[in-house]
Amino acid sequence: MTFPTLTASTLRPATAPTLYFIGVTTGSSSIQHVFPRWAAHLGLQDAVLQGIDLPLHAPADDYRAVVRFIADDPLSLGALVTTHKIDLFAACRDLFDEIDAFAELMGETSCISKRDGRLICHAKDPISSGLALDAFLPAGFWSRGPADALCLGAGGSSIAISWYLSRQERGLDRPARVIVTNRSAARLDHLREIHASLPTDTLFEYHLTPTPADNARVLADLAPRSLVVNATGLGKDAPGSPLPDDAVFPLDGVAWDLNYRGDLVFLDQAREQSAERRLRVEDGWIYFVHGWTQVIAEVFDIEIPTSGPSFERLSELALATR
């Protein structure tokens, strides 16, 4: 089932407390089924979720129209932003009354909230990506021997993941290298600037990879046990995979697709090699749960635990809709 969505030209005043979901194909997301269950469980009376679909790299005027609408409409409480995080921030940063430290550092907007008439820009991905990684990587994973982390795609999720894995306070529990690939040089340059500002001695590498074959060559250079992340959006926002079918994953490695819906070609490629390469394969479901609960807590100004029985209950309610 696909739920009705809005566009920048069809926005209309909310008639109930509304959280917006700004993406590309929001009507088919699982959150459309999950949110009503979560809202009832969390006591968010009458709260609704409304998708706003914008094309990839939409015109700046469209982003500004959406952000101004949320700012001005009394019952529009905030938004979760996917896919458009960097583009929306670049187009709208002057419209925010407050920008949190992560958003400023990462140059992205993943959450919009309102407090006392002020419009606030947040970047929640550093928190949600870290929680997701910790959920499936064993404690001390990186300190067991040199292994790399490869992020395919240089968007907001890769910025957050690379920040989380490179933090100096992790000590030896960090990848030997954090490698990022992307089809365009501008995003890699943006990421290089962010990494240069971080207080870390982690080794970063950047590769311009216009084709899947280029990504495969980078993949072939990884150490055993390495993490490979599909952070391109391919498989959800657009069909396909950033890797060709003959790409070889690292032995004893981990393949993580940030997507959990779509054609999921990257996941299929990893699963086909899981036995032979002793590969652990993870989809984006736990990332989805942490990402949404972080934003819901911020927008509705409530506390949502990140672990324990209360969080497990939210996970159960979400899984019941799959």
Side-chain angles (χ1 to χ4, degrees):
M1 179 180 179
T2 300
F3 289 76
T5 61
L6 300 174
T7 67
S9 62
T10 61
L11 298 169
R12 56 180 182 268
T15 58
T18 300
L19 168 64
Y20 292 93
F21 175 17
I22 303 171
V24 177
T25 56
T26 60
S28 57
S29 173
S30 292
I31 193 61
Q32 301 284 2
H33 301 279
V34 173
F35 183 80
R37 291 170 176 254
W38 280 356
H41 178 72
L42 295 168
L44 302 176
Q45 189 173 8
D46 300 325
V48 299
L49 177 75
Q50 175 62 61
I52 300 176
D53 285 352
L54 301 173
L56 291 170
H57 307 303
D61 286 347
D62 286 357
Y63 293 123
R64 293 180 70 83
V66 169
V67 172
R68 283 194 176 111
F69 167 76
I70 293 172
D72 295 339
D73 186 58
L75 288 175
S76 295
L77 304 187
L80 178 142
V81 184
T82 64
T83 307
H84 306 288
K85 301 167 192 173
I86 294 174
D87 290 339
L88 186 145
F89 182 85
C92 303
R93 64 175 301 158
D94 63 300
L95 300 180
F96 294 107
D97 299 302
E98 184 179 332
I99 298 173
D100 77 11
F102 279 142
E104 196 69 67
L105 173 66
M106 315 246 164
E108 68 166 69
T109 306
S110 63
C111 172
I112 300 170
S113 71
K114 295 158 78 170
R115 290 287 186 281
D116 302 322
R118 295 174 61 79
L119 190 70
I120 306 172
C121 166
H122 310 264
K124 294 294 184 182
D125 279 356
I127 301 168
S128 54
S129 63
L131 290 167
L133 281 164
D134 289 345
F136 63 78
L137 287 182
F141 175 84
W142 303 101
S143 59
R144 298 176 187 178
D148 306 312
L150 169 61
C151 292
L152 302 169
S157 295
S158 286
I159 296 171
I161 292 167
S162 61
W163 171 84
Y164 184 76
L165 290 176
S166 66
R167 291 179 305 147
Q168 194 86 345
E169 56 265 38
R170 294 179 64 93
L172 296 177
D173 193 24
R174 289 181 286 166
R177 297 180 296 169
V178 174
I179 306 162
V180 184
T181 70
N182 202 63
R183 292 184 295 184
S184 65
R187 285 285 171 88
L188 290 173
D189 291 341
H190 174 65
L191 187 53
R192 186 182 283 108
E193 291 177 4
I194 292 171
H195 288 161
S197 71
L198 299 179
T200 181
D201 58 359
T202 296
L203 177 62
F204 296 106
E205 290 185 12
Y206 313 91
H207 294 267
L208 183 63
T209 54
T211 70
D214 295 319
N215 279 326
R217 283 189 282 273
V218 178
L219 184 75
D221 187 48
L222 299 181
R225 297 181 55 255
S226 292
L227 170 70
V228 183
V229 185
N230 175 22
T232 64
L234 288 175
K236 177 175 73 71
D237 297 327
S241 167
L243 295 174
D245 286 338
D246 60 356
V248 180
F249 285 87
L251 191 66
D252 296 315
V254 181
W256 184 24
D257 195 334
L258 300 189
N259 304 321
Y260 69 92
R261 64 181 176 92
D263 59 11
L264 302 177
V265 177
F266 175 91
L267 273 178
D268 291 338
Q269 292 169 327
R271 286 167 177 156
E272 286 180 3
Q273 298 184 35
S274 60
E276 179 183 355
R277 304 296 292 172
R278 300 193 297 271
L279 192 67
R280 177 165 186 166
V281 182
E282 296 286 338
D283 68 10
W285 183 254
I286 191 64
Y287 187 45
F288 162 87
V289 174
H290 279 300
W292 273 100
T293 51
Q294 287 288 311
V295 170
I296 290 169
E298 188 69 58
V299 169
F300 290 97
D301 196 16
I302 59 174
E303 293 289 333
I304 299 180
T306 58
S307 61
S310 296
F311 180 80
E312 292 304 319
R313 180 56 182 154
L314 291 172
S315 298
E316 291 169 3
L317 288 169
L319 282 170
T321 68
R322 292 194 77 173

